[in-house]
Amino acid sequence: MRDIHQLVRENILLLEPYRSARDEYSGDRHHIFLDANENPFESGYNRYPDPYQKKLKSTISEWKNIDAEHIFLGNGSDEIIDLLIRIFCYPGKDKIMSLNPSYGMYKVSADINHVQLVNFNLDKNFEFDTEELLEKASDNNIKILFICSPNNPSGNAFEIDKITKVCEKFRGIIVVDEAYSDFSEKGSMMNFIHHYQNLVVMQTLSKAMGAAALRLGMAFTSTDIIRLLNKVKPPYNINSATQTLAMELIKNRAKNRDEIRKIKEHRKMLEVRLKAFDSVLEVYPSDANFLLVKVDDADQMYQFLLGKNIVVRNRNKAYGCSNCLRITIGNSQENEQLLDAFYVYSKTKEPLPISKSE
Ligand SMILES: *Cc1c(COP(=O)(O)O)cnc(C)c1O
C-alpha cells in the first residue's frame, strides 16, 4: 500500500477548505450567535446544522462500537462515492475499478467526474478469483476499487478472507460497500479499518434501517481519509432533521432487528416457492433483502408483473444477468401477491406450439 497522501489529487491535498461560521466558533446555545446571518426568531430550524454532526456521530459510535473520529457521514452513500472519486481521481486520467455486475452509481459517479470505470467480470456464480482481480487492478491509474458485498444485483456476499487478501495487496483505496450487510451472516469488514489505512467501509440507513428518505450514508475509515472527506464535503451536507431523526431511529433500533429477522424469513420462503414455478429457471443465493431470479423471459415477465401493479427491477441487460429480475423482499401481503402473479403467469402462458405430424 502506498501512503494515502501519494494517492490524493494534489489540488485536494493543498485545498484550503471553506470555513463556515460554525467552524470558526461552535459554542453552546447560551451564546448569542450573530455570526451566520441566520434569522434570530426560533422555529426549530432557523440555525445551520452542526457541520460535523457530533451528537449523531457519538450515537453511531456507540452503536457500531467504533471511535467517532473514524466516522464520516454523507447525504446517502451516493455522496460518499462521489467525494471519494473526486478526492483520489484526476479527471481524464485516473480510473476506478468495480466488480461486474454491480451497483450502478459507481459508473455514474465516475462518468460525471470524467473518470474511467474498469469492470472486473464476475464468474457465473458471481464470484471472483483474488489473484485475477489483483492482476487486473495492478494498473497504477486505478485509484479506487469498489467491492459491493453483499453485491447488488447478485445478492451474494464475498468471504471476508477473500476481501482481506485484496486489502493486503491492492495499493489504492478499497471501498467495501456494505449497504446490505445487516441481511448477511458473512460478517462485516468494519473491524479491519484499523488494520488497513486504505480501507473504507460504507453502510447506510437506506436499507435494513428503513430510512431511505433521510439520506444518511456512513463511511468508516482511517483518520487520514476522514480528514480528506471533511475537507471536500459541502459544509452542511447533513440537515438538522436528518441528524435528529437518525439519532431517534438508532436509539430505537430494537424494533428494527425484528424487521430484519422477518425479511430474512420471507427471503427463504420466497426462494423456495419461486423455485417451484416452471417459468423460474434459477433463484440465486442471497445475503441481501432481494433475490436475483432468472426466468424464461425477463422482459415479458417484467411487463406481466407491471400489469398486476407489481414493480420489480429488470436486470436482463446487466452482465451475467440475462433474463434476470431483481425482486426486493416485501411484507407478507406483497410477497403473496407476487407469488400469485407468478402463478397466474405460469397458467396463462401460451403453451409451446406442438408440431403436428401430417
Ligand atoms: C441502495 C444502495 C446504496 C444506498 O445508497 P444511499 O445513497 O445510502 O441510499 C449503496 N450501495 C448499494 C450497493 C446499494 O444498493
Side-chain angles (χ1 to χ4, degrees):
M1 191 193 91
R2 283 183 284 182
D3 185 306
I4 298 293
H5 293 117
Q6 289 179 331
L7 292 165
V8 183
R9 284 167 62 191
E10 199 179 347
N11 60 309
I12 301 296
L13 216 46
L14 299 175
L15 175 73
E16 195 56 60
Y18 176 74
R19 290 193 60 85
S20 67
R22 281 305 166 273
D23 274 318
E24 303 278 328
Y25 197 89
S26 64
D28 60 29
R29 62 196 157 82
H30 301 296
H31 287 78
I32 297 171
F33 285 110
L34 304 176
D35 58 347
N37 302 343
E38 296 149 334
N39 181 324
F41 299 102
E42 269 305 325
S43 65
Y45 43 83
N46 56 316
R47 299 291 176 189
Y48 278 100
D50 173 4
Y52 298 109
Q53 314 97 21
K54 289 196 193 64
K55 283 190 194 150
L56 175 54
K57 278 182 188 164
S58 107
T59 307
I60 294 174
S61 160
E62 264 175 54
W63 172 32
K64 298 289 176 182
N65 195 19
I66 194 164
D67 280 349
E69 62 174 5
H70 291 285
I71 304 173
F72 177 83
L73 302 178
N75 189 339
S77 315
D78 290 349
E79 182 179 51
I80 304 174
I81 295 168
D82 177 72
L83 289 172
L84 289 168
I85 293 176
R86 280 196 278 152
I87 290 168
F88 293 105
C89 300
Y90 282 107
K93 173 168 174 256
D94 286 333
K95 306 170 189 172
I96 64 167
M97 188 161 122
S98 95
L99 307 177
N100 192 29
S102 198
Y103 186 43
M105 272 313 284
Y106 311 139
K107 175 158 171 55
V108 173
S109 256
D111 283 348
I112 290 170
N113 289 294
H114 191 23
V115 164
Q116 191 192 328
L117 173 106
V118 178
N119 272 316
F120 183 85
N121 293 339
L122 295 170
D123 67 21
K124 64 180 189 343
N125 298 317
F126 301 110
E127 284 290 338
F128 62 86
D129 176 81
T130 314
E131 293 305 319
E132 278 176 34
L133 178 72
L134 284 164
E135 169 65 31
K136 187 151 187 191
S138 64
D139 174 346
N140 259 326
N141 284 330
I142 296 179
K143 292 290 196 62
I144 311 178
L145 169 60
F146 285 91
I147 297 180
C148 183
S149 180
N151 188 36
N152 178 4
S154 55
N156 58 314
F158 303 106
E159 295 296 337
I160 294 290
D161 278 359
K162 265 174 108 170
I163 304 177
T164 54
K165 279 208 185 84
V166 177
C167 291
E168 290 289 342
K169 301 268 177 67
F170 182 61
R171 14 120 308 266
I173 304 295
I174 297 160
V175 180
V176 180
D177 186 342
E178 295 189 348
Y180 300 99
S181 63
D182 295 298
F183 303 105
S184 169
E185 313 292 327
K186 295 222 177 95
S188 165
M189 284 295 291
M190 283 272 285
N191 301 328
F192 293 91
I193 63 153
H194 303 293
H195 202 76
Y196 304 110
Q197 299 294 301
N198 56 338
L199 171 66
V200 181
V201 175
M202 289 199 309
Q203 296 184 359
T204 176
L205 295 199
S206 297
K207 305 288 156 63
M209 291 295 282
L214 293 189
R215 311 304 305 130
L216 193 79
M218 303 172 280
F220 307 101
T221 184
S222 60
T223 50
D224 278 347
I225 297 180
I226 297 277
R227 254 191 300 279
L228 293 163
L229 285 163
N230 279 332
K231 265 175 112 168
V232 177
K233 84 182 183 77
Y236 302 110
N237 62 329
I238 312 294
N239 71 67
S240 298
T242 293
Q243 294 191 37
T244 309
L245 292 168
M247 273 189 290
E248 279 175 28
L249 191 79
I250 294 164
K251 282 175 183 154
N252 300 320
R253 64 187 179 278
K255 164 175 155 291
N256 188 245
R257 271 199 288 275
D258 214 41
E259 293 170 353
I260 295 170
R261 186 184 51 75
K262 277 193 196 130
I263 290 169
K264 283 158 77 176
E265 279 172 19
H266 291 171
R267 177 178 74 197
K268 188 73 218 151
M269 178 278 294
L270 267 186
E271 184 188 338
V272 172
R273 289 176 64 189
L274 282 171
K275 276 180 175 163
F277 294 107
D278 284 346
S279 52
V280 172
L281 308 182
E282 188 152 10
V283 180
Y284 291 90
S286 172
D287 300 297
N289 66 335
F290 57 82
L291 292 169
L292 188 71
V293 182
K294 193 190 271 299
V295 295
D296 50 3
D297 186 334
D299 293 342
Q300 194 181 320
M301 177 69 93
Y302 177 82
Q303 288 303 329
F304 180 84
L305 292 174
L306 258 193
K308 302 268 176 218
N309 293 325
I310 300 172
V311 189
V312 299
R313 203 80 202 268
N314 187 353
R315 297 282 78 181
N316 187 27
K317 293 206 169 65
Y319 178 83
C321 297
S322 62
N323 279 320
C324 284
L325 301 174
R326 194 195 70 194
I327 305 179
T328 308
I329 313 299
N331 63 29
S332 303
Q333 198 201 338
E334 292 167 337
N335 298 333
E336 285 309 319
Q337 275 179 260
L338 175 83
L339 289 165
D340 277 352
F342 267 82
Y343 179 78
V344 175
Y345 177 86
S346 307
K347 288 289 160 213
T348 56
K349 220 175 55 156
E350 294 276 307
L352 292 172
I354 300 162
S355 55
K356 285 193 194 117
S357 44
E358 304 292 304

